[in-house]
Amino acid sequence: MLDTVGVIGTGAMGGAVAKLIHASQPETVLYLSNRTVEKAEALAKELHARVSTNEEIAKTCGLIFLAVKPQMMPGVLMALTPVFAARTDRFVLVTMAAGLTAETIQTLSGGAYPVIRMMPNTPITVGAGIVTYCGKDVTDGELSAFAALLKDAGTLDPIPEHLIDAASAIAGCGPAFVDLFLEALADGAVACGLPRSKALLYAAQTVEGAARAARVTGEQPGKLKDVVCSPAGSTIQGIRALEKGGFRSAAMEAVIAAYEKNLALKEGQ
Ligand SMILES: NC(=O)c1ccc[n+]([C@@H]2O[C@H](COP(=O)([O-])OP(=O)(O)OC[C@H]3O[C@@H](n4cnc5c(N)ncnc54)[C@H](OP(=O)(O)O)[C@@H]3O)[C@@H](O)[C@H]2O)c1
């Protein structure tokens, strides 16, 4: 049943998901639809997939990824309710829309159809992402089949649905926060005389390396920081500057602000 997969919306996330599915299971029959059809056509050519329509995907596919923006979801799903209602076979809807619960997806689609709610982030495009997910009215087999399709995304982590908004605030939005940090680190290095390309390379490798060290060792980041800060050294002076600028507080507030926006989206704001 899940060997026929549709992606409605081939933008940043829908496109990334389609590529991952094609890479992990090239035998999957992939249907792609997009409001601007040229975008679906270009991706279909690359993946040897089929250019389709929302209606055909809703009618045909066993697993249907809904990769449109949250505010587009009501319009897209409500147009498809008669198509879903006419189906006699089982199908699974997969949503990645920030702030929309699995129950909301069921309501908008007109039935208690099986729903997987996933929260990806942009590093899935390089196999270093995180995908948190949960299911509503799905079988374990369907969840496993879904996870197998996205196995090359990076880390897949099943979590209870009430934690998805928080997970999305750090993992979904987090890459943009880290990008800002990277850019600022590189700007600092350019101010100290490094060419921009080297500054960006060193900033990215440093962030990637520090993150990997934290994951591999399992050490608290604070302890890893202490190892670099020799008494009366340069690093502790940099830490002093970051603390003076409210760095920790700004990082915490960024995650909390994104979380609050996720909750507001759930309330339809
Ligand atoms: N980007 C992220 O980092 C991220 C992280 C986690 C979750 N998400 C979720 O992923 C979903 C997609 O976000 P995105 O960043 O990929 O957005 P995006 O790049 O704007 O892609 C959305 C796509 O949906 C298409 N679309 C709009 N209305 C449609 C319709 N009626 N029928 C078919 N396709 C339609 C758009 O077509 P056009 O080409 O005509 O614009 C566009 O290609 C959102 O729900 C978002 O919350 C995104």
mmCIF file of all heavy atoms in Angstrom, residues 64-68 70 73 77 92-98 100-103 105 115-120 132-134 146 161 164:
data_model
loop_
_atom_site.group_PDB
_atom_site.id
_atom_site.type_symbol
_atom_site.label_atom_id
_atom_site.label_comp_id
_atom_site.label_asym_id
_atom_site.label_seq_id
_atom_site.Cartn_x
_atom_site.Cartn_y
_atom_site.Cartn_z
ATOM 1 N N ILE A 64 0.445 9.978 1.597
ATOM 2 C CA ILE A 64 0.287 11.298 0.971
ATOM 3 C C ILE A 64 0.948 12.364 1.849
ATOM 4 O O ILE A 64 0.458 12.670 2.948
ATOM 5 C CB ILE A 64 -1.210 11.622 0.781
ATOM 6 C CG1 ILE A 64 -1.860 10.552 -0.099
ATOM 7 C CG2 ILE A 64 -1.393 13.025 0.181
ATOM 8 C CD1 ILE A 64 -3.378 10.652 -0.187
ATOM 9 N N PHE A 65 2.070 12.888 1.386
ATOM 10 C CA PHE A 65 2.757 13.955 2.122
ATOM 11 C C PHE A 65 2.101 15.283 1.780
ATOM 12 O O PHE A 65 1.984 15.640 0.597
ATOM 13 C CB PHE A 65 4.240 14.001 1.739
ATOM 14 C CG PHE A 65 5.052 12.897 2.344
ATOM 15 C CD1 PHE A 65 5.128 11.657 1.728
ATOM 16 C CD2 PHE A 65 5.731 13.081 3.542
ATOM 17 C CE1 PHE A 65 5.878 10.628 2.290
ATOM 18 C CE2 PHE A 65 6.480 12.059 4.112
ATOM 19 C CZ PHE A 65 6.554 10.830 3.482
ATOM 20 N N LEU A 66 1.694 16.004 2.827
ATOM 21 C CA LEU A 66 1.065 17.314 2.647
ATOM 22 C C LEU A 66 2.129 18.351 2.984
ATOM 23 O O LEU A 66 2.401 18.620 4.151
ATOM 24 C CB LEU A 66 -0.133 17.442 3.585
ATOM 25 C CG LEU A 66 -1.179 16.326 3.449
ATOM 26 C CD1 LEU A 66 -2.103 16.299 4.664
ATOM 27 C CD2 LEU A 66 -1.982 16.518 2.162
ATOM 28 N N ALA A 67 2.780 18.904 1.948
ATOM 29 C CA ALA A 67 3.944 19.771 2.188
ATOM 30 C C ALA A 67 3.660 21.207 1.760
ATOM 31 O O ALA A 67 4.481 21.853 1.123
ATOM 32 C CB ALA A 67 5.166 19.205 1.470
ATOM 33 N N VAL A 68 2.461 21.679 2.105
ATOM 34 C CA VAL A 68 2.125 23.084 1.849
ATOM 35 C C VAL A 68 2.220 23.857 3.162
ATOM 36 O O VAL A 68 2.237 23.267 4.235
ATOM 37 C CB VAL A 68 0.712 23.235 1.223
ATOM 38 C CG1 VAL A 68 0.643 22.522 -0.115
ATOM 39 C CG2 VAL A 68 -0.365 22.740 2.168
ATOM 40 N N PRO A 70 1.245 25.954 6.458
ATOM 41 C CA PRO A 70 0.089 25.704 7.334
ATOM 42 C C PRO A 70 -1.161 26.493 6.922
ATOM 43 O O PRO A 70 -2.276 25.972 6.950
ATOM 44 C CB PRO A 70 0.579 26.153 8.717
ATOM 45 C CG PRO A 70 2.057 26.071 8.643
ATOM 46 C CD PRO A 70 2.453 26.307 7.224
ATOM 47 N N MET A 73 -3.159 24.828 4.200
ATOM 48 C CA MET A 73 -3.664 23.471 4.456
ATOM 49 C C MET A 73 -5.194 23.374 4.419
ATOM 50 O O MET A 73 -5.733 22.448 3.790
ATOM 51 C CB MET A 73 -3.127 22.969 5.802
ATOM 52 C CG MET A 73 -3.233 21.493 5.989
ATOM 53 S SD MET A 73 -2.158 20.564 4.884
ATOM 54 C CE MET A 73 -0.687 20.431 5.869
ATOM 55 N N LEU A 77 -6.898 20.776 1.789
ATOM 56 C CA LEU A 77 -7.580 19.557 2.267
ATOM 57 C C LEU A 77 -9.081 19.600 2.030
ATOM 58 O O LEU A 77 -9.681 18.591 1.654
ATOM 59 C CB LEU A 77 -7.283 19.333 3.756
ATOM 60 C CG LEU A 77 -5.889 18.775 4.054
ATOM 61 C CD1 LEU A 77 -5.692 18.583 5.548
ATOM 62 C CD2 LEU A 77 -5.657 17.452 3.321
ATOM 63 N N VAL A 92 -2.647 6.862 4.158
ATOM 64 C CA VAL A 92 -2.116 7.596 5.311
ATOM 65 C C VAL A 92 -1.735 9.009 4.872
ATOM 66 O O VAL A 92 -1.067 9.190 3.852
ATOM 67 C CB VAL A 92 -0.857 6.880 5.888
ATOM 68 C CG1 VAL A 92 -0.279 7.670 7.055
ATOM 69 C CG2 VAL A 92 -1.191 5.459 6.325
ATOM 70 N N LEU A 93 -2.182 9.999 5.646
ATOM 71 C CA LEU A 93 -1.804 11.393 5.384
ATOM 72 C C LEU A 93 -0.598 11.735 6.249
ATOM 73 O O LEU A 93 -0.567 11.383 7.439
ATOM 74 C CB LEU A 93 -2.970 12.327 5.734
ATOM 75 C CG LEU A 93 -4.270 12.094 4.954
ATOM 76 C CD1 LEU A 93 -5.391 12.978 5.510
ATOM 77 C CD2 LEU A 93 -4.061 12.376 3.469
ATOM 78 N N VAL A 94 0.379 12.414 5.667
ATOM 79 C CA VAL A 94 1.557 12.828 6.437
ATOM 80 C C VAL A 94 1.631 14.346 6.404
ATOM 81 O O VAL A 94 1.738 14.946 5.334
ATOM 82 C CB VAL A 94 2.866 12.255 5.846
ATOM 83 C CG1 VAL A 94 4.047 12.643 6.730
ATOM 84 C CG2 VAL A 94 2.783 10.752 5.700
ATOM 85 N N THR A 95 1.550 14.950 7.574
ATOM 86 C CA THR A 95 1.628 16.414 7.639
ATOM 87 C C THR A 95 2.948 16.846 8.257
ATOM 88 O O THR A 95 3.463 16.177 9.147
ATOM 89 C CB THR A 95 0.466 16.992 8.468
ATOM 90 O OG1 THR A 95 0.676 18.405 8.604
ATOM 91 C CG2 THR A 95 0.383 16.388 9.856
ATOM 92 N N MET A 96 3.465 17.961 7.765
ATOM 93 C CA MET A 96 4.671 18.535 8.376
ATOM 94 C C MET A 96 4.407 20.002 8.730
ATOM 95 O O MET A 96 5.324 20.760 9.003
ATOM 96 C CB MET A 96 5.859 18.406 7.419
ATOM 97 C CG MET A 96 5.650 19.050 6.084
ATOM 98 S SD MET A 96 6.907 18.556 4.874
ATOM 99 C CE MET A 96 6.316 16.952 4.375
ATOM 100 N N ALA A 97 3.126 20.373 8.714
ATOM 101 C CA ALA A 97 2.771 21.783 8.928
ATOM 102 C C ALA A 97 2.963 22.187 10.386
ATOM 103 O O ALA A 97 2.403 21.560 11.295
ATOM 104 C CB ALA A 97 1.325 22.014 8.512
ATOM 105 N N ALA A 98 3.741 23.246 10.588
ATOM 106 C CA ALA A 98 3.969 23.742 11.947
ATOM 107 C C ALA A 98 2.631 24.113 12.582
ATOM 108 O O ALA A 98 1.793 24.766 11.959
ATOM 109 C CB ALA A 98 4.889 24.953 11.890
ATOM 110 N N LEU A 100 -0.115 22.552 13.313
ATOM 111 C CA LEU A 100 -1.392 21.877 13.038
ATOM 112 C C LEU A 100 -1.344 20.460 13.591
ATOM 113 O O LEU A 100 -0.470 19.671 13.215
ATOM 114 C CB LEU A 100 -1.686 21.837 11.535
ATOM 115 C CG LEU A 100 -1.853 23.182 10.823
ATOM 116 C CD1 LEU A 100 -2.263 22.958 9.371
ATOM 117 C CD2 LEU A 100 -2.887 24.056 11.517
ATOM 118 N N THR A 101 -2.298 20.134 14.467
ATOM 119 C CA THR A 101 -2.290 18.807 15.083
ATOM 120 C C THR A 101 -2.782 17.752 14.091
ATOM 121 O O THR A 101 -3.442 18.068 13.090
ATOM 122 C CB THR A 101 -3.217 18.764 16.312
ATOM 123 O OG1 THR A 101 -4.555 18.999 15.854
ATOM 124 C CG2 THR A 101 -2.842 19.801 17.348
ATOM 125 N N ALA A 102 -2.509 16.511 14.434
ATOM 126 C CA ALA A 102 -3.004 15.397 13.610
ATOM 127 C C ALA A 102 -4.534 15.420 13.592
ATOM 128 O O ALA A 102 -5.154 15.140 12.562
ATOM 129 C CB ALA A 102 -2.487 14.081 14.170
ATOM 130 N N GLU A 103 -5.113 15.782 14.723
ATOM 131 C CA GLU A 103 -6.579 15.832 14.792
ATOM 132 C C GLU A 103 -7.129 16.911 13.857
ATOM 133 O O GLU A 103 -8.148 16.714 13.183
ATOM 134 C CB GLU A 103 -7.018 16.107 16.236
ATOM 135 C CG GLU A 103 -8.495 15.894 16.439
ATOM 136 C CD GLU A 103 -8.907 16.060 17.901
ATOM 137 O OE1 GLU A 103 -8.035 16.309 18.759
ATOM 138 O OE2 GLU A 103 -10.115 15.972 18.155
ATOM 139 N N ILE A 105 -5.769 17.873 11.122
ATOM 140 C CA ILE A 105 -5.634 17.342 9.748
ATOM 141 C C ILE A 105 -6.805 16.402 9.457
ATOM 142 O O ILE A 105 -7.393 16.438 8.367
ATOM 143 C CB ILE A 105 -4.266 16.627 9.572
ATOM 144 C CG1 ILE A 105 -3.119 17.631 9.737
ATOM 145 C CG2 ILE A 105 -4.186 15.920 8.226
ATOM 146 C CD1 ILE A 105 -3.081 18.776 8.740
ATOM 147 N N VAL A 115 -3.100 9.461 10.305
ATOM 148 C CA VAL A 115 -2.249 10.635 10.077
ATOM 149 C C VAL A 115 -0.899 10.428 10.760
ATOM 150 O O VAL A 115 -0.841 9.996 11.914
ATOM 151 C CB VAL A 115 -2.916 11.918 10.641
ATOM 152 C CG1 VAL A 115 -1.944 13.101 10.581
ATOM 153 C CG2 VAL A 115 -4.187 12.260 9.871
ATOM 154 N N ILE A 116 0.158 10.740 10.040
ATOM 155 C CA ILE A 116 1.491 10.846 10.659
ATOM 156 C C ILE A 116 1.846 12.320 10.657
ATOM 157 O O ILE A 116 1.711 12.996 9.635
ATOM 158 C CB ILE A 116 2.553 10.030 9.882
ATOM 159 C CG1 ILE A 116 2.223 8.536 9.963
ATOM 160 C CG2 ILE A 116 3.944 10.299 10.445
ATOM 161 C CD1 ILE A 116 3.104 7.649 9.085
ATOM 162 N N ARG A 117 2.233 12.804 11.833
ATOM 163 C CA ARG A 117 2.671 14.200 11.919
ATOM 164 C C ARG A 117 4.188 14.200 12.075
ATOM 165 O O ARG A 117 4.720 13.605 13.016
ATOM 166 C CB ARG A 117 1.996 14.881 13.114
ATOM 167 C CG ARG A 117 2.335 16.345 13.189
ATOM 168 C CD ARG A 117 1.535 17.060 14.252
ATOM 169 N NE ARG A 117 2.035 18.400 14.416
ATOM 170 C CZ ARG A 117 1.839 19.150 15.479
ATOM 171 N NH1 ARG A 117 1.122 18.686 16.494
ATOM 172 N NH2 ARG A 117 2.341 20.364 15.537
ATOM 173 N N MET A 118 4.878 14.813 11.134
ATOM 174 C CA MET A 118 6.336 14.835 11.189
ATOM 175 C C MET A 118 6.836 16.270 11.281
ATOM 176 O O MET A 118 6.166 17.199 10.836
ATOM 177 C CB MET A 118 6.939 14.166 9.943
ATOM 178 C CG MET A 118 6.663 14.924 8.649
ATOM 179 S SD MET A 118 7.339 14.123 7.167
ATOM 180 C CE MET A 118 9.036 14.658 7.185
ATOM 181 N N MET A 119 7.962 16.447 11.896
ATOM 182 C CA MET A 119 8.572 17.772 11.940
ATOM 183 C C MET A 119 10.017 17.642 11.478
ATOM 184 O O MET A 119 10.871 17.179 12.218
ATOM 185 C CB MET A 119 8.477 18.340 13.369
ATOM 186 C CG MET A 119 8.811 19.807 13.438
ATOM 187 S SD MET A 119 8.074 20.838 12.148
ATOM 188 C CE MET A 119 6.329 20.682 12.497
ATOM 189 N N PRO A 120 10.268 17.984 10.213
ATOM 190 C CA PRO A 120 11.631 17.872 9.684
ATOM 191 C C PRO A 120 12.390 19.188 9.863
ATOM 192 O O PRO A 120 11.797 20.182 10.297
ATOM 193 C CB PRO A 120 11.375 17.627 8.192
ATOM 194 C CG PRO A 120 10.096 18.388 7.918
ATOM 195 C CD PRO A 120 9.301 18.463 9.207
ATOM 196 N N THR A 132 11.299 14.569 13.882
ATOM 197 C CA THR A 132 10.485 14.020 14.963
ATOM 198 C C THR A 132 9.128 13.672 14.364
ATOM 199 O O THR A 132 8.672 14.322 13.419
ATOM 200 C CB THR A 132 10.332 15.025 16.117
ATOM 201 O OG1 THR A 132 9.875 16.267 15.584
ATOM 202 C CG2 THR A 132 11.643 15.259 16.833
ATOM 203 N N TYR A 133 8.486 12.651 14.898
ATOM 204 C CA TYR A 133 7.205 12.255 14.313
ATOM 205 C C TYR A 133 6.352 11.486 15.311
ATOM 206 O O TYR A 133 6.853 10.945 16.304
ATOM 207 C CB TYR A 133 7.412 11.422 13.034
ATOM 208 C CG TYR A 133 8.073 10.078 13.259
ATOM 209 C CD1 TYR A 133 7.315 8.911 13.372
ATOM 210 C CD2 TYR A 133 9.459 9.978 13.367
ATOM 211 C CE1 TYR A 133 7.919 7.671 13.574
ATOM 212 C CE2 TYR A 133 10.062 8.743 13.576
ATOM 213 C CZ TYR A 133 9.294 7.599 13.680
ATOM 214 O OH TYR A 133 9.894 6.381 13.890
ATOM 215 N N CYS A 134 5.051 11.490 15.026
ATOM 216 C CA CYS A 134 4.110 10.711 15.835
ATOM 217 C C CYS A 134 2.950 10.312 14.929
ATOM 218 O O CYS A 134 2.801 10.866 13.831
ATOM 219 C CB CYS A 134 3.605 11.537 17.016
ATOM 220 S SG CYS A 134 2.760 13.024 16.496
ATOM 221 N N PHE A 146 6.995 4.414 6.952
ATOM 222 C CA PHE A 146 7.277 5.848 6.818
ATOM 223 C C PHE A 146 8.741 6.124 7.193
ATOM 224 O O PHE A 146 9.472 6.804 6.463
ATOM 225 C CB PHE A 146 6.310 6.623 7.734
ATOM 226 C CG PHE A 146 6.772 7.982 8.123
ATOM 227 C CD1 PHE A 146 6.569 9.067 7.272
ATOM 228 C CD2 PHE A 146 7.425 8.209 9.335
ATOM 229 C CE1 PHE A 146 7.009 10.331 7.620
ATOM 230 C CE2 PHE A 146 7.864 9.468 9.687
ATOM 231 C CZ PHE A 146 7.655 10.534 8.826
ATOM 232 N N GLU A 161 2.836 13.480 20.623
ATOM 233 C CA GLU A 161 2.445 14.674 19.856
ATOM 234 C C GLU A 161 2.527 15.966 20.669
ATOM 235 O O GLU A 161 2.862 17.018 20.118
ATOM 236 C CB GLU A 161 1.033 14.522 19.274
ATOM 237 C CG GLU A 161 0.715 15.720 18.381
ATOM 238 C CD GLU A 161 -0.483 15.552 17.488
ATOM 239 O OE1 GLU A 161 -1.334 14.672 17.752
ATOM 240 O OE2 GLU A 161 -0.583 16.340 16.522
ATOM 241 N N ILE A 164 5.670 17.947 20.072
ATOM 242 C CA ILE A 164 6.121 18.301 18.709
ATOM 243 C C ILE A 164 6.314 19.808 18.527
ATOM 244 O O ILE A 164 7.238 20.237 17.843
ATOM 245 C CB ILE A 164 5.154 17.710 17.655
ATOM 246 C CG1 ILE A 164 5.468 16.227 17.485
ATOM 247 C CG2 ILE A 164 5.236 18.471 16.342
ATOM 248 C CD1 ILE A 164 5.528 15.709 16.069
#
